[in-house]
Amino acid sequence: MRDIRTQVFIQEQNVPEDLEWDGEDARAVHALACDGSGRAIGTARLLLHNDLAHIGRMAVVSEWRGQGVGRALLECITNVAQERGARSAFLNAQTTAVPFYRLAGFKVEGKEFLDAGIPHLRMTRSL
Ligand code: COA
């Protein structure tokens, strides 16, 4: 999980390390996607605030993008959120990823904002 997030967010997207490692990982649920040989190729994180799920840190290594890994990770993490009692979910989507989340039923809420210098939109979905 750390290797993927280092590769995708810190190296590819220039997210500062202190923002990436925000202290929330120890209490989070992490989903990890692996290829046929067991190598980790994608990750996502779930933080629960009572019945509200906060999904984030979605990343698929570049050579595996566009092959359904992200969709599988998002489905997995929303299923876990539901099982643990969440009734709705939100995420802060990079604007370039909004169409990906829209396909999974998330809707944009509010105005664009910057996080780590990257434009984002908050998106929500009931579970
Ligand atoms: N724009 C438009 N559509 C997109 C998209 C994008 N950026 N990324 C994926 N999709 C679409 C796919 O075409 C596919 O559509 P289909 O069902 O009609 O075939 C569907 O979303 C599922 O795509 P999938 O192959 O599962 O996505 P992925 O494995 O490439 O994962 C990301 C998507 C965003 C997680 C991945 O591209 C990634 O890690 N990007 C870099 C990190 C990042 O930006 N993370 C998001 C932080 S908010």
Side-chain angles (χ1 to χ4, degrees):
M1 176 273 278
R2 287 188 69 93
D3 285 351
I4 296 169
R5 282 168 47 185
T6 299
Q7 190 179 321
V8 174
F9 294 120
I10 297 171
Q11 293 172 355
E12 208 178 297
Q13 301 189 339
N14 295 315
V15 171
E17 290 204 34
D18 58 330
L19 290 187
E20 181 54 35
W21 312 119
D22 61 356
E24 298 278 33
D25 285 321
R27 73 176 190 94
V29 178
H30 300 272
L32 199 62
C34 297
D35 70 9
S37 62
R39 186 179 75 104
I41 56 172
T43 188
R45 180 174 90 173
L46 169 68
L47 292 164
L48 280 167
H49 310 278
N50 301 314
D51 64 355
L52 177 66
H54 177 187
I55 294 168
R57 302 304 198 269
M58 279 270 330
V60 174
V61 294
S62 56
E63 63 270 30
W64 272 94
R65 287 178 201 154
Q67 298 174 65
V69 176
R71 182 183 17 233
L73 277 167
L74 193 54
E75 197 181 313
C76 168
I77 211 108
T78 47
N79 285 344
V80 172
Q82 264 174 328
E83 281 163 21
R84 297 191 180 201
R87 307 199 47 185
S88 61
F90 81 96
L91 53 84
N92 293 321
Q94 294 184 14
T95 52
T96 52
V98 163
F100 163 74
Y101 293 114
R102 214 174 250 141
L103 284 168
F106 284 83
K107 290 193 169 61
V108 169
E109 196 182 271
K111 291 192 179 147
E112 193 175 297
F113 61 94
L114 287 180
D115 186 18
I118 300 170
H120 282 77
L121 281 161
R122 182 183 165 107
M123 300 183 81
T124 57
R125 206 196 103 168
S126 55
L127 296 176

